[in-house]
Amino acid sequence: MRNMEAGDETGQSKLWVMLDSEGEEEEDGSQVLFAMAENDVMALLNQFQLNDIFCFAFSMSGGDAEFMYDIHKTTEQGMLKLFALASCVLTIFCHGLTTFHRHQYKQLNKRIGWLICEVVQYVSDHWSNFKDSRVVSHCTLMPRLQTEFDSFFFKATSCLLSAKRLGAWQFMADLSYACLSADAVWHLVYTLHTSGTECTDPSQEEDIQEITWRLQDEDMMHQLTDKLQLMPQQEAIYLLTAFSNIIISREESEDVLTDIIVSEIYEVSFIDVVTRDFCSKSGRDILSAIAEKQLSVVSLLLHKIKKSVHQIGMMALTLFNEMPLLLWQPTTDDMQLIAEWMLKAELSSAENQLARLILSNMNWNENECGELFLPVDLHREVAILITETYSKHIPENRQGLFYYSIQQLYNVSALLRVTPAHEQQLYSWAWDLIHRLCLHAHSQPISAQPRAKSEPIAAPASESCDRWEEFLNSIPQLHTTLQLRTVANLVRDDGVFASFVALAMTNLGHDRAEFLNAGLGLLLRLVHNQQFLGSVYVLHLVTPFFFDNPSCLSTSEGFLSAVKAISSAEQTYTKMARDLFAPDFPGKILKMFSAMILNQLEHHSASPHNVIKFWLSVFSSIQNWYQDRNMLYLMDNLIAIAVSQPGAMSHVEFTFCDMYKSMSEGGGVTPSRVGSFLSWFSSSGSNLPTLIDKSSLPEFPYVAYSVLSVEECLESGLWKALQTELAHNATASVETCLKKASSAVKVNSPSAGRLCIYRWAQQALDTHMQHPLLPLLWQKFFALYLQRLPEQLGLPGRSGNGQRFFQSMLNSAYMKKLKKRLKETAQLYSKLATARDSIAANEDDVLVTPSLSNTSIKDAYQPSTATCDQLYMVFSAYLLWMDEPRLHDLSLYLPALPDQYHAELLVQIFQAEQKAWLQFIDYSSIEHMLSQLDDVWQAHFNATPQAKLGRYTYPANDHISTATSRILEKLKLSNPSLSAPSVALIKAPVPAITASVISDENSLMSAVRGDLELLVECAKNFVVKMYKHVALNADYLELLLHQYSNQSVEKVVEISCQRYRPGHKCKGPAEISVQCEEKTEDMITKRKIAGNRDDCLQLLFECETMRASPVACKAAVHVENIILFLLKKYRSDGQGSTNLTLLGTSLFYHLVSKISEDTRQYPPTTQFFTSCVDVLGQEFVAGKPNQSLRLLDTILQSPRLSGMLAPHFTPNASPDIFTKLHCKVVEAAWTRGTDVAFMLLTKFDVQLWLVDSNLSLSARAQFLEGIAQALYVIGQTPDSEMQMIMGIYKKHVMYLLRYQFPDLYGNVMKMLLKGAADQSITVDLWNTFLQTVGCDPTSGEDRESKCQLHLAQLRDTVGSLSVFFLQLRMSTSAHLLFGLYSRLPSYIFALANWLGFVTRKYIIAVRKSLGDEQTNSVTEKGNSLVITSYNYYTKNIVNTCIWPVSVVLPSS
């Protein structure tokens, strides 16, 4: 944590050794620390474990898995040692904050701050345990220990405050302030207000009274505000959070400190204009956290807002919206202030809106003990307050139009997302809140509710009875209670809101007689004024008093009209028009009505049958309820509730039977003659009562099932008579037998479609496939379809008439529909059983009952796998029953049927058992529907939103968290330090080369063979793709030529009139056919081009992805390693090892043999083979005498490799075969090409060969002869390719001529003369020759030269020339007659210069030999020789025989 000092003045060894990137020790380590990255410093810091330090300090034992903590092991001296140790640790961390106080180490500073916080938490928790385990009066050192802890805590705070602007201040909020003494807390708060940079010892500060007075001073508030303005926003928030945590961790008795800090946070966050811009949101959260811990803060803030409401304005709503009002219980002063704001302030004012917000967010529900969180008197007080406010701002109107208008305006505002007017807001708020208040006895918690008279009382505890009696006695009387004077007056003036309050709170809603006398009128007032939700809630409160005697209300016309109006509340013209585009059934009021019945069932669980019987009685008493869709919905849901209650369906059957009998008696018809209670098809000519003219009720299956079941029982006489007629008349139709049966039982004959078997079939066909009652509907159908006749009829062969009902053409098609429906239902449950999640996403396969028509697919019910399997089994059995004709055979043996038929069910049908198969009802689906109904009720009438209350509900573990558990938890959660990094053994990708590889040639070849073949294969693959790409591009270019063509087409052109002429009647534009050629695209070619380009792109992609594989790379490296190993071994042995040399040359030529055209076109293999051949060639081939001829043969066999192999060709290393090598190269110039020959000829250093080899004259003459033959072949005028080779030959000839001149002078001159005679040698060679012997080829004059001719050589030369030209002239007759000019046109100038040079040199040489005194003799000899040399040019030789030309060499 400290920076290092440069040097070591003490001479002691350094504790740290800093190394640079090269692993060398740094000379000056003072600045090395700052060169380290932040992550590196944090990694080093994490290696020091605090848990080990404190495990030692706490005298803890145990391993990493379990720690044994015992506070009794710590003594007073141990605590002092702990404080001292922790202070030393803090000092180290403080140095770290000072050393790394830079922005580049911001995260490191946060880490150090967190470590400081952790040290304080360890010590605070241990100190807390120590104090709890000791008796303060028996511990004399306790005051001193508390002082030491306060000093330690102040030191930690000072460390954190010193790290400004680096994020360490955030850990001020995590410090444990609970263990500080009261005086230390005042000192700490004062220090944070003043300096903020360091915390001094509390003993050095003023007394507490002085500090308290200063903190309450306004100047201190301004000082804090100025300080926050200068600080970064984050640190300002951290400081305010630290203030809040100080209050949260202290006892509620320290109210003075709480008032000071809360007031300061409130002023900074909401009053001060500058600081509230960045502190308002955080200040709101901080005040909310404080209020959650100390609820008196809510009252404090409420009264502060009263003083500064004009400054804070609407921000007060933002503040109190986050307050824990659900946990707050207001005082009398608080309620007076709220009432003052409600009644005296304007609706648009912040005070009025804040009062409404507070009342809305308070907890009007029960607490964890099942009692009201707020007293019932407060509920009543608030209800009266709301009533007074409502009556003040919303005038009463007897017709209720004003209320209805406000409600419609509010709905339209919500739909258009427009802020409603203040009266609309008050209207909605008042009704929502009044519904949540627990004013009635039946709105109290379930444990405190009264029981109906018919409900059994299971000896409740005396305390509960007393509480209930006390509640009944406290029910206010509307006309005698003083507090209700305003409500009574408003009720008297037909006030709607007051009427609801009177019913919910006073005796009018708690006494049967009062309700029937006066309360029922108030209920009707609510209904007439469109307050349907309030009316439903009143029904929920009042009707339980009549459960034991439902006739009191079921016979009341007023009550029945109210129920009818509530059920039809949403049948407005507006909703009817909206339903044409977006049907919405059931509506909110209707669902709330059903939810209310369900809620009553839950609150009266001791007698649920009474609830069902009551509402059955009420609904059935409403006139024409069966023709009202809304009433059918309520009845259907009520029957669904009855299905979920064991034994409740008997009440439904009893009710419908009573209704049937009453209608029969009213119509004067006896039950035995009644044909139907519910007509599913219209019946012409029948005088039977018709209630619903529909074929089925798919929307309300529960009602349909109940009604059809009762009707089937009461119509059994007609059905039995029909079965008898069908049995006796096997060929008669069903209609004929029905008429006879009707006559037999003396009833009007109904139509065949009204038979129960058809009604059950149609209802099952129309009901949704996932309806829980569908298996029972099909059971009813099959009970009639498979019904066996009584044995006394003695029917032969067939035991039933079910198939007779579906023999006609119309009914046979109907039977197919039934089978298809059963098959679809079975398949649906099969899918749900195997893939339930996927089926749930399909809207067609989701259960949509009338009660859940508004339910989203996400909330739809999904049956369990077991339920799906069971229903799939039963519907599959139904389908088999439908297709199996043997079931109608009396001789059928049921146990012989397969298991899929479920013979046990068939036995029940054949035995005519009427018991419903309730085991196939999906009760989970019904429970899901009912739970959704209950959610509708809870969402509107529940007093407290449980989701919001959940944020103030803490797990039990948080409440029992102790200092010991926190210590152990921190020890377990600490991250262990990293162990030393393990040394990973890196396996070489290429195996090492051993000496056995180069032991012999076979081992070497086997080692490289596989690698080289792999590389060659890679090259072949690349070349194949390259050629394929070239072919594709060639085809593409070819296809482009045929893509478009000109096609002759005929076009019709319309030409309109250009001018208007009077009287001209235009008959339309003229149509002219034009023959032209149009560019036409060949679609076949286009597809071919597209395919070609696709293939090309695919090929390019393959080439792009085709990189050198790791295997190929390893192969190349392996071969290179073998070569390097061979070279090292060869060089270490002094390059004298014959075996290694043989291996090197063998490997060289083996690599050369693997080089092909493919490897040369693939760049990686080209580079590989080039480098390997170059290394081996330089070491084992170049300069080796025995390798020149083999290498030359290899080059001549593979001319394309000449560029790679030629650098290693050194013919001078083999002087014995130098001439042979040269001859091979000369021959190669014609067989292998001039490029190869030129490249190889450049490797022949003839001059060096002549000097070093000391060759004989014959050897040199032989070498010259080889060059002469090459020159003769080249000819007089060589082409451009031969020019380079010609130059090399010329150099070689001159080297031979100059070496030991004039040894080969005669041979060279003979070569030149022969070439001139045959015109097969270039003139340039003559000029070079003249230049070499000292004759200027342009002027013929003498020039300096090392090659000088003597007198005898000159004489022989002149003589030889004379003989040569004489023989040449005499070789042909033409030359005899006309001379040699035509024979030697190109060489005339060179020959002339040469003759002149030779004769001139001869004369000079003769003169020098005779001296001055023999001048005449010199002249004679010279002239005679010159005349003789030119004699054969000038002399006319006639009749002379022709001699063959031969050249006589001059003597050397």
Side-chain angles (χ1 to χ4, degrees):
M1 294 289 99
R2 287 188 179 181
N3 192 11
M4 294 185 178
E5 301 294 338
D8 188 6
E9 298 177 357
T10 62
Q12 299 178 354
S13 61
K14 297 180 180 179
L15 296 178
W16 293 90
V17 177
M18 305 302 294
L19 304 179
D20 58 13
S21 59
E22 301 295 333
E24 301 294 335
E25 184 177 356
E26 288 282 357
E27 296 181 359
D28 183 11
S30 58
Q31 297 300 322
V32 172
L33 197 60
F34 297 120
M36 296 177 65
E38 184 182 35
N39 292 336
D40 296 335
V41 180
M42 292 181 66
L44 288 175
L45 182 59
N46 290 335
Q47 291 298 100
F48 300 93
Q49 294 295 306
L50 282 179
N51 58 336
D52 295 339
I53 297 175
F54 286 101
C55 281
F56 171 76
F58 297 159
S59 300
M60 296 179 62
S61 60
D64 296 336
E66 184 178 358
F67 296 94
M68 303 300 294
Y69 175 79
D70 187 4
I71 188 60
H72 297 286
K73 293 182 180 180
T74 304
T75 61
E76 290 82 356
Q77 290 76 15
M79 283 303 305
L80 291 174
K81 293 179 181 179
L82 174 63
F83 294 151
L85 175 62
S87 298
C88 293
V89 175
L90 288 180
T91 303
I92 296 174
F93 289 144
C94 189
H95 284 303
L97 292 175
T98 305
T99 303
F100 295 99
H101 195 269
R102 301 184 180 187
H103 282 283
Q104 69 186 84
Y105 296 108
K106 190 172 182 179
Q107 297 300 323
L108 176 61
N109 279 269
K110 290 183 179 180
R111 176 65 177 174
I112 297 175
W114 179 81
L115 291 174
I116 293 174
C117 179
E118 193 172 29
V119 170
V120 175
Q121 290 175 355
Y122 271 122
V123 177
S124 299
D125 291 336
H126 194 67
W127 170 239
S128 176
N129 284 338
F130 184 82
K131 289 195 300 182
D132 294 340
S133 64
R134 298 294 192 276
V135 179
V136 178
S137 60
H138 296 170
C139 184
T140 57
L141 290 178
M142 191 63 71
R144 179 188 172 186
L145 291 175
Q146 182 64 54
T147 304
E148 290 293 337
F149 175 79
D150 294 342
S151 178
F152 160 76
F153 195 94
F154 269 67
K155 187 173 185 178
T157 308
S158 177
C159 292
L160 292 176
L161 292 177
S162 64
K164 292 183 177 180
R165 302 178 182 271
L166 293 178
W169 278 31
Q170 61 182 304
F171 300 104
M172 289 283 296
D174 295 331
L175 297 179
S176 178
Y177 300 96
C179 296
L180 282 175
S181 62
D183 294 347
V185 170
W186 282 103
H187 285 291
L188 179 60
V189 172
Y190 181 74
T191 303
L192 293 178
H193 278 77
T194 53
S195 62
T197 56
E198 59 176 333
C199 297
T200 57
D201 196 303
S203 61
Q204 301 176 3
E205 296 289 338
E206 297 98 335
D207 58 9
I208 302 304
Q209 295 296 332
E210 182 75 14
I211 293 176
T212 304
W213 179 81
R214 290 187 179 184
L215 288 175
Q216 292 176 340
D217 191 5
E218 293 184 0
D219 293 339
M220 184 63 70
M221 182 65 225
H222 296 314
Q223 182 178 351
L224 177 62
T225 303
D226 297 338
K227 178 181 176 180
L228 293 176
Q229 294 178 12
L230 299 176
M231 294 168 58
Q233 294 184 9
Q234 287 186 348
E235 294 196 352
I237 301 303
Y238 296 154
L239 183 59
L240 295 179
T241 306
F243 283 144
S244 67
N245 287 345
I246 291 174
I247 298 302
I248 292 174
S249 62
R250 306 303 296 177
E251 299 292 337
E252 295 186 7
S253 57
E254 301 180 14
D255 52 350
V256 178
L257 181 62
T258 301
D259 293 348
I260 293 175
I261 293 181
V262 169
S263 301
E264 289 177 345
I265 297 176
Y266 174 75
E267 292 286 336
V268 169
S269 303
F270 297 98
I271 303 302
D272 189 86
V273 180
V274 179
T275 56
R276 71 180 181 184
D277 292 338
F278 62 89
C279 290
S280 58
K281 185 177 183 302
S282 301
R284 178 194 62 189
D285 298 335
I286 291 172
L287 291 174
S288 176
I290 297 175
E292 184 179 343
K293 186 68 175 179
Q294 300 186 15
L295 295 173
S296 60
V297 172
V298 179
S299 301
L300 175 63
L301 291 174
L302 191 63
H303 290 278
K304 282 193 171 294
I305 290 176
K306 177 184 178 182
K307 300 177 182 178
S308 57
V309 66
H310 299 292
Q311 295 175 291
I312 188 173
M314 291 298 177
M315 294 180 68
L317 277 69
T318 305
L319 172 61
F320 267 80
N321 196 38
E322 296 296 326
M323 286 288 113
L325 298 176
L326 292 176
L327 308 177
W328 178 58
Q329 293 188 349
T331 62
T332 304
D333 295 338
D334 298 335
M335 290 306 303
Q336 290 178 356
L337 179 59
I338 292 174
E340 179 182 352
W341 285 347
M342 290 281 293
L343 297 174
K344 297 182 180 180
E346 297 292 333
L347 291 179
S348 59
S349 64
E351 300 96 312
N352 191 284
Q353 296 186 43
L354 178 59
R356 282 183 275 159
L357 175 67
I358 293 173
L359 293 177
S360 298
N361 291 339
M362 291 173 64
N363 187 2
W364 303 107
N365 205 347
E366 59 189 43
N367 56 20
E368 298 177 354
C369 300
E371 300 177 355
L372 285 179
F373 181 79
L374 298 174
V376 67
D377 293 337
L378 183 60
H379 287 246
R380 294 168 181 171
E381 180 183 353
V382 171
I384 297 172
L385 175 61
I386 297 173
T387 305
E388 294 175 354
T389 306
Y390 188 92
S391 62
K392 177 181 179 181
H393 296 283
I394 301 178
E396 300 290 349
N397 189 295
R398 294 176 181 241
Q399 288 73 24
L401 295 177
F402 185 76
Y403 305 105
Y404 182 71
S405 301
I406 287 181
Q407 186 176 9
Q408 295 301 318
L409 287 174
Y410 187 82
N411 295 335
V412 172
S413 301
L415 184 64
L416 298 178
R417 297 183 179 179
V418 178
T419 303
H422 297 290
E423 289 79 7
Q424 300 173 20
Q425 295 179 13
L426 177 62
Y427 173 83
S428 176
W429 172 83
W431 281 106
D432 290 341
L433 183 57
I434 201 66
H435 289 160
R436 291 169 52 196
L437 295 178
C438 299
L439 304 175
H440 197 272
H442 290 130
S443 63
Q444 302 301 308
I446 297 178
S447 60
Q449 285 189 14
R451 299 180 182 271
K453 294 182 180 179
S454 61
E455 295 181 10
I457 300 178
S462 58
E463 183 180 355
S464 301
C465 295
D466 295 341
R467 189 166 58 249
W468 173 241
E469 292 295 333
E470 181 181 354
F471 180 83
L472 291 179
N473 296 331
S474 65
I475 294 175
Q477 304 294 316
L478 177 63
H479 300 290
T480 59
T481 304
L482 295 178
Q483 291 83 356
L484 295 178
R485 285 179 299 178
T486 303
V487 177
N489 294 334
L490 292 173
V491 170
R492 191 180 305 109
D493 296 337
D494 296 339
V496 179
F497 194 88
S499 299
F500 175 84
V501 174
L503 286 172
M505 188 171 65
T506 67
N507 58 321
L508 298 185
H510 290 80
D511 186 81
R512 291 183 183 181
E514 292 290 342
F515 177 76
L516 293 175
N517 294 333
L520 186 58
L522 300 184
L523 174 62
L524 292 173
R525 181 183 301 172
L526 291 174
V527 174
H528 294 158
N529 286 276
Q530 311 293 331
Q531 288 300 330
F532 299 111
L533 286 178
S535 303
V536 171
Y537 191 66
V538 169
L539 292 179
H540 170 261
L541 300 176
V542 175
T543 53
F545 291 110
F546 299 91
F547 284 165
D548 59 337
N549 189 11
S551 60
C552 295
L553 294 180
S554 62
T555 57
S556 173
E557 295 295 335
F559 182 79
L560 295 179
S561 64
V563 174
K564 176 70 174 178
I566 293 172
S567 65
S568 306
E570 294 169 306
Q571 271 188 318
T572 61
Y573 292 108
T574 304
K575 188 175 185 302
M576 293 172 61
R578 187 170 64 248
D579 288 345
L580 295 176
F581 303 97
D584 182 20
F585 181 84
K588 180 180 178 180
I589 305 299
L590 206 57
K591 286 195 290 187
M592 200 69 70
F593 203 143
S594 292
M596 180 267 295
I597 298 174
L598 179 63
N599 189 265
Q600 285 184 337
L601 197 72
E602 294 177 355
H603 281 69
H604 301 273
S605 57
S607 58
H609 291 192
N610 288 346
V611 180
I612 297 174
K613 287 168 58 179
F614 172 81
W615 287 110
L616 281 172
S617 176
V618 172
F619 292 160
S620 61
S621 300
I622 296 177
Q623 188 177 7
N624 297 331
W625 66 268
Y626 40 80
Q627 296 179 348
D628 189 348
R629 186 185 183 191
N630 301 313
M631 292 303 302
L632 283 173
Y633 168 80
L634 294 175
M635 184 68 81
D636 192 74
N637 277 355
L638 182 60
I639 298 175
I641 295 173
V643 171
S644 65
Q645 297 293 327
M649 283 299 295
S650 60
H651 302 294
V652 178
E653 296 174 1
F654 181 79
T655 300
F656 280 113
C657 288
D658 284 349
M659 292 172 60
Y660 179 85
K661 293 178 181 179
S662 62
M663 293 183 65
S664 300
E665 294 173 358
V669 183
T670 62
S672 61
R673 298 179 59 189
V674 176
S676 174
F677 168 69
L678 182 60
S679 177
W680 301 92
F681 295 95
S682 60
S683 173
S684 58
S686 174
N687 57 358
L688 298 177
T690 301
L691 302 178
I692 301 176
D693 294 333
K694 291 182 179 180
S695 60
S696 66
L697 284 178
E699 201 172 12
F700 312 109
Y702 292 104
V703 175
Y705 176 81
S706 302
V707 172
L708 276 176
S709 298
V710 174
E711 178 186 358
E712 182 183 354
C713 294
L714 299 177
E715 279 191 348
S716 59
L718 178 62
W719 176 255
K720 292 179 180 178
L722 177 60
Q723 290 283 63
T724 303
E725 292 295 331
L726 288 173
H728 288 290
N729 299 286
T731 59
S733 64
V734 176
E735 289 78 4
T736 303
C737 295
L738 179 61
K739 291 180 181 179
K740 293 181 180 181
S742 300
S743 301
V745 297
K746 300 179 181 181
V747 296
N748 292 336
S749 176
S751 63
R754 295 176 56 197
L755 293 175
C756 289
I757 189 172
Y758 294 121
R759 297 184 198 130
W760 284 117
Q762 188 63 41
Q763 183 64 41
L765 187 66
D766 295 340
T767 302
H768 195 276
M769 288 188 291
Q770 277 189 264
H771 197 280
L773 211 61
L774 184 62
L776 271 63
L777 297 175
W778 283 107
Q779 178 197 0
K780 289 290 187 180
F781 166 75
F782 281 106
L784 299 177
Y785 180 70
L786 299 177
Q787 184 179 17
R788 291 189 174 185
L789 300 177
E791 295 182 358
Q792 59 269 22
L793 295 178
L795 293 178
R798 304 181 68 84
S799 63
N801 298 314
Q803 290 183 331
R804 295 279 301 276
F805 293 95
F806 299 95
Q807 286 182 346
S808 65
M809 183 180 300
L810 180 62
N811 288 332
S812 63
Y814 189 64
M815 173 63 76
K816 292 181 180 179
K817 290 183 179 180
L818 295 177
K819 293 180 180 180
K820 181 181 178 182
R821 186 65 171 181
L822 279 173
K823 183 178 181 181
E824 291 175 352
T825 306
Q827 290 176 350
L828 169 63
Y829 283 105
S830 177
K831 293 178 182 178
L832 288 174
T834 55
R836 187 175 62 178
D837 294 337
S838 60
I839 295 300
N842 190 347
E843 185 178 3
D844 296 335
D845 294 332
V846 173
L847 172 61
V848 182
T849 64
S851 303
L852 301 177
S853 59
N854 292 350
T855 305
S856 64
I857 300 300
K858 182 180 70 173
D859 297 331
Y861 169 71
Q862 298 180 13
S864 64
T865 304
T867 302
C868 293
D869 292 338
Q870 185 182 29
L871 293 176
Y872 169 74
M873 174 269 296
V874 70
F875 283 111
S876 298
Y878 287 162
L879 183 60
L880 293 175
W881 295 352
M882 189 77 75
D883 290 332
E884 184 57 68
R886 294 182 298 170
L887 297 180
H888 302 275
D889 192 350
L890 187 62
S891 61
L892 175 66
Y893 183 61
L894 289 179
L897 292 174
D899 295 338
Q900 292 84 352
Y901 282 80
H902 290 277
E904 68 278 5
L905 299 179
L906 289 172
V907 170
Q908 297 180 27
I909 291 178
F910 291 160
Q911 294 178 356
E913 292 186 7
Q914 299 297 323
K915 183 179 180 181
W917 295 341
L918 301 179
Q919 68 270 23
F920 299 121
I921 296 179
D922 187 3
Y923 288 101
S924 298
S925 175
I926 301 176
E927 292 176 2
H928 177 76
M929 181 200 72
L930 298 180
S931 66
Q932 288 187 318
L933 280 178
D934 187 64
D935 292 342
V936 172
W937 179 266
Q938 298 297 335
H940 187 80
F941 293 107
N942 192 13
T944 302
Q946 296 297 329
K948 192 171 182 180
L949 184 61
R951 57 178 288 194
Y952 306 116
T953 303
Y954 304 99
N957 293 336
D958 290 348
H959 293 284
I960 64 173
S961 176
T962 60
T964 302
S965 63
R966 290 193 297 269
I967 291 174
L968 295 177
E969 189 68 23
K970 284 195 287 286
L971 291 175
K972 292 179 181 179
L973 295 179
S974 60
N975 296 323
S977 58
L978 299 178
S979 59
S982 59
V983 179
L985 297 178
I986 302 176
K987 184 180 179 181
V990 180
I993 309 301
T994 60
S996 61
V997 176
I998 58 174
S999 60
D1000 53 41
E1001 184 176 354
N1002 293 332
S1003 300
L1004 180 61
M1005 293 301 115
S1006 62
V1008 300
R1009 185 179 295 110
D1011 298 332
L1012 295 179
E1013 290 176 355
L1014 180 62
L1015 295 173
V1016 171
E1017 185 65 26
C1018 291
K1020 288 182 180 179
N1021 294 336
F1022 173 79
V1023 172
V1024 168
K1025 294 187 184 309
M1026 182 183 68
Y1027 286 154
K1028 186 177 180 181
H1029 183 255
V1030 173
L1032 287 174
N1033 286 337
D1035 293 343
Y1036 174 67
L1037 295 176
E1038 184 67 23
L1039 290 172
L1040 285 178
L1041 299 176
H1042 305 287
Q1043 184 177 6
Y1044 295 97
S1045 62
N1046 292 326
Q1047 300 291 336
S1048 179
V1049 295
E1050 183 176 352
K1051 297 286 186 180
V1052 178
V1053 182
E1054 294 184 353
I1055 302 177
S1056 303
C1057 299
Q1058 299 295 328
R1059 297 180 180 179
Y1060 172 75
R1061 291 182 299 171
H1064 172 69
K1065 294 182 179 180
C1066 181
K1067 296 182 180 180
E1071 295 182 354
I1072 301 176
S1073 298
V1074 179
Q1075 195 79 17
C1076 62
E1077 288 189 348
E1078 184 180 48
K1079 183 182 77 171
T1080 305
E1081 185 177 9
D1082 189 355
M1083 300 309 296
I1084 297 177
T1085 305
K1086 181 180 179 181
R1087 287 193 294 270
K1088 289 182 180 180
I1089 292 175
N1092 180 282
R1093 289 298 89 191
D1094 292 340
D1095 295 341
C1096 186
L1097 289 176
Q1098 179 64 26
L1099 183 62
L1100 290 176
F1101 176 76
E1102 293 176 0
C1103 293
E1104 183 70 21
T1105 56
M1106 189 188 71
R1107 306 176 185 271
S1109 64
V1111 179
C1113 294
K1114 291 180 181 179
V1117 173
H1118 187 238
V1119 175
E1120 291 177 352
N1121 290 347
I1122 292 176
I1123 294 174
L1124 293 176
F1125 186 80
L1126 179 62
L1127 291 177
K1128 291 180 180 179
K1129 185 66 174 175
Y1130 178 72
R1131 292 169 182 172
S1132 64
D1133 292 349
Q1135 301 183 354
S1137 176
T1138 305
N1139 183 35
L1140 295 179
T1141 303
L1142 179 60
L1143 292 177
T1145 55
S1146 299
L1147 183 57
F1148 173 82
Y1149 290 110
H1150 184 70
L1151 287 172
V1152 171
S1153 66
K1154 293 296 182 181
I1155 300 175
S1156 62
E1157 189 64 26
D1158 295 340
T1159 59
R1160 293 175 66 249
Q1161 292 187 13
Y1162 187 42
T1165 53
T1166 301
Q1167 181 182 0
F1168 169 75
F1169 281 106
T1170 302
S1171 60
C1172 292
V1173 168
D1174 185 60
V1175 171
L1176 291 173
Q1178 290 179 5
E1179 198 69 30
F1180 298 102
V1181 177
K1184 300 299 187 291
N1186 58 345
Q1187 297 298 324
S1188 300
L1189 182 59
R1190 183 179 179 183
L1191 181 61
L1192 179 59
D1193 292 339
T1194 303
I1195 294 174
L1196 297 180
Q1197 290 175 5
S1198 304
R1200 294 182 179 180
L1201 302 181
S1202 58
M1204 185 186 301
L1205 301 178
H1208 311 296
F1209 178 60
T1210 54
N1212 287 81
S1214 306
D1216 297 338
I1217 59 173
F1218 190 84
T1219 302
K1220 182 180 180 180
L1221 296 175
H1222 193 274
C1223 292
K1224 279 183 171 289
V1225 174
V1226 170
E1227 293 175 2
W1230 305 104
T1231 60
R1232 302 299 182 183
T1234 58
D1235 293 337
V1236 177
F1238 176 76
M1239 188 183 302
L1240 294 174
L1241 286 173
T1242 56
K1243 305 300 179 180
F1244 289 87
D1245 191 346
V1246 177
Q1247 188 175 6
L1248 180 63
W1249 173 62
L1250 293 173
V1251 174
D1252 294 342
S1253 301
N1254 194 17
L1255 300 173
S1256 62
L1257 179 60
S1258 60
R1260 285 179 283 161
Q1262 183 182 358
F1263 186 80
L1264 179 62
E1265 182 64 25
I1267 297 176
Q1269 295 301 324
L1271 292 174
Y1272 295 155
V1273 174
I1274 292 175
Q1276 182 181 1
T1277 56
D1279 54 13
S1280 59
E1281 294 182 357
M1282 286 295 181
Q1283 285 292 343
M1284 296 185 297
I1285 297 179
M1286 183 64 194
I1288 295 177
Y1289 288 162
K1290 185 168 59 176
K1291 289 182 180 181
H1292 291 176
V1293 171
M1294 294 305 109
Y1295 288 151
L1296 291 170
L1297 178 62
R1298 293 192 188 101
Y1299 181 73
Q1300 295 182 3
F1301 184 85
D1303 287 352
L1304 294 179
Y1305 167 71
N1307 300 63
V1308 173
M1309 191 175 70
K1310 178 183 177 180
M1311 178 188 67
L1312 292 174
L1313 292 176
K1314 185 178 185 304
D1318 297 337
Q1319 295 185 3
S1320 60
I1321 199 167
T1322 178
V1323 178
D1324 188 48
L1325 186 59
W1326 268 99
N1327 294 334
T1328 304
F1329 169 73
L1330 294 176
Q1331 205 171 19
T1332 303
V1333 298
C1335 176
D1336 190 349
T1338 57
S1339 62
E1341 297 179 354
D1342 297 344
R1343 55 183 298 177
E1344 294 183 1
S1345 175
K1346 295 182 180 180
C1347 300
Q1348 297 295 329
L1349 297 172
H1350 303 293
L1351 179 60
Q1353 295 168 346
L1354 291 172
R1355 184 173 53 251
D1356 293 341
T1357 299
V1358 173
S1360 298
L1361 289 175
S1362 299
V1363 174
F1364 169 75
F1365 289 123
L1366 176 62
Q1367 293 177 355
L1368 183 61
R1369 186 174 182 185
M1370 294 176 65
S1371 61
T1372 62
S1373 59
H1375 294 164
L1376 289 174
L1377 295 176
F1378 305 107
L1380 297 174
Y1381 187 81
S1382 61
R1383 179 72 179 268
L1384 305 170
S1386 300
Y1387 307 101
I1388 295 299
F1389 190 73
L1391 288 173
N1393 289 335
W1394 172 239
L1395 287 173
F1397 172 75
V1398 171
T1399 54
R1400 184 170 60 254
K1401 294 291 286 184
Y1402 174 74
I1403 294 174
I1404 294 173
V1406 170
R1407 183 180 179 184
K1408 287 183 178 179
S1409 63
L1410 296 179
D1412 294 338
E1413 65 278 3
Q1414 298 180 4
T1415 305
N1416 295 331
S1417 178
V1418 171
T1419 303
E1420 291 176 0
K1421 291 181 179 181
N1423 290 337
S1424 64
L1425 183 62
V1426 171
I1427 292 171
T1428 302
S1429 62
Y1430 287 96
N1431 187 27
Y1432 298 105
Y1433 284 94
T1434 58
K1435 184 177 180 179
N1436 187 13
I1437 303 175
V1438 184
N1439 299 325
T1440 305
C1441 62
I1442 302 174
W1443 301 336
V1445 179
S1446 61
V1447 179
V1448 180
L1449 295 176
S1451 59
S1452 299

